[in-house]
Structures are given as C-alpha cells and as structure tokens.
Amino acid sequence: MSEDPARVQEFFGARADDWDRKFPDDGPAFTTAVTEFGLAPGDRVLDAGCGTGRALPALRAAVGPGGTVLGVDVTAPMLAAAQRAGRGSAGALLRADVARLPLRDGALDAVFAAGLIAHLPDPAANLRELARVVRPGGRLALFHPIGRAALAARHGRELTPDDMRAEHNLRPLLSGSGWELTSYADEDTRFLVLAARRA
C-alpha cells in the first residue's frame, strides 16, 4: 500500500482536477468524521495530506474563527484544486511532506488525516512526526469515507491479514509511534480511527 513520495505526487497530481467530481458524495462523511473527532473552539488542527481540502470547511466550523486550520499536502495540483474550490478560505494551505513538517514540537491540538496512512512511505516514522507536532493529550483521526472492505472491492482486491489498517496491526503501529488508539470503526460507509497523543 505504501508508495514513495514521487509516485504519490505523480498519482494524485494527475487526478487532482477530477478528484472532487469522481467522489461527489463524500462531503457528508467528512463532516460527520470531523464532528465525531470532537474538536473544540480555538483548537489548532492540521489536515495532513489534505488533498483538495474537503475536510477544511468542517474543520473550520469545528474550531471556529479563533482556531487554526492548516492544510498540508505534498502534491501542488491538489492544493491548487483546493484553492479553486474556495477551500483556502477555511484554512491556510501549505505544500509540505508530512514526513518533515515545518512545525514546532507540540504546536497543534489535533491532526486529521483522510486517506493518508496507505500512502506513507514509512508509517511508523511518519506517525511519530505527526505525534511530534501535537501536544501531549492531543488527538489524531485517521479517516476514509468508506471502510476497508469497500475500498478493497473498489480496487479489485481482497483484504488480507497484513492490511496495515486492520485493528490488530494499527493498534501496535500507533502505540509504537506515540499514540494510543481510543476508538476504531471500520464499516462500509466509513473508516475512522481516533487516537490520543501520549505524554
């Protein structure tokens, strides 16, 4: 599932212009996931691997005008598509690699990551980097608008026991990266894992 950054940029860059049209019904799932994430007004949240910014309006609504919303993606065409869709008004957009975030330690209260984990070149190290920029007790949401089985079917493959997103694999991966898994939901209509940053 993991790919090198150059392949990720090539894959998503070629699809950026049509991304929202290809998945037009995902908006409510993003909104519901952000609601369940439990952000508070004034929180500082990062949308890691934000793509076309579909989560940004819901994140802004959750943290309010006094909060901070930052969308980071490594693929310039995805960020351009987010700007064209008007989502840059919900938060600052920055081209950066989640493996090396230009943020100080503990700068954030939370990280929301939709569809990101499957494309991380070094999941353990990359999750540690996300933990680095979140304060102790802060939170992480790993989200996809459809569950693992539905996603596998979409790609014409079957689920295997070594799927990184399976709970028995993801829990120790998170634990070894500075996170404690607090909630795991894998349903046809969503995949949502919540974790807390350990002190």
Side-chain angles (χ1 to χ4, degrees):
M1 292 190 310
S2 298
E3 301 179 36
D4 67 75
R7 288 187 62 195
V8 169
Q9 290 181 62
E10 180 182 348
F11 178 88
F12 286 105
R15 292 161 175 79
D17 288 343
D18 294 322
W19 193 258
D20 287 351
R21 286 191 293 273
K22 188 173 180 182
F23 305 106
D25 302 323
D26 286 349
F30 275 81
T31 301
T32 299
V34 170
T35 299
E36 291 186 33
F37 194 18
L39 295 168
D43 275 354
R44 302 156 299 168
V45 61
L46 169 68
D47 185 354
C50 67
T52 61
R54 291 180 293 172
L56 295 177
L59 293 171
R60 171 54 66 196
V63 304
T68 299
V69 177
L70 175 62
V72 166
D73 203 280
V74 73
T75 308
M78 280 288 190
L79 294 172
Q83 287 285 16
R84 285 193 301 276
R87 296 175 185 138
S89 62
L93 295 171
L94 176 66
R95 184 176 182 196
D97 189 339
V98 298
R100 294 176 303 279
L101 289 166
L103 299 170
R104 62 179 170 78
D105 295 359
L108 304 171
D109 298 296
V111 173
F112 184 87
L116 176 70
I117 192 166
H119 302 287
L120 296 176
D122 186 344
N126 301 151
L127 287 167
R128 280 194 298 273
E129 174 66 357
L130 294 180
R132 180 188 68 79
V133 301
V134 173
R135 63 169 174 78
R139 286 160 297 143
L140 170 70
L142 301 176
F143 168 70
H144 198 283
I146 59 176
R148 292 186 311 122
L151 185 60
R154 176 187 287 176
H155 294 296
R157 59 176 176 80
E158 295 184 4
L159 285 177
T160 61
D162 63 347
D163 184 334
M164 178 174 40
R165 292 165 293 188
E167 185 174 5
H168 66 269
N169 295 324
L170 190 55
R171 183 181 294 276
L173 175 63
L174 287 166
S175 180
S177 304
W179 300 98
E180 180 181 354
L181 190 150
T182 58
S183 175
Y184 184 94
D186 181 18
E187 304 156 1
D188 283 346
T189 56
R190 68 166 184 166
F191 175 85
L192 182 62
V193 170
L194 304 180
R197 170 76 163 88
R198 291 201 307 269

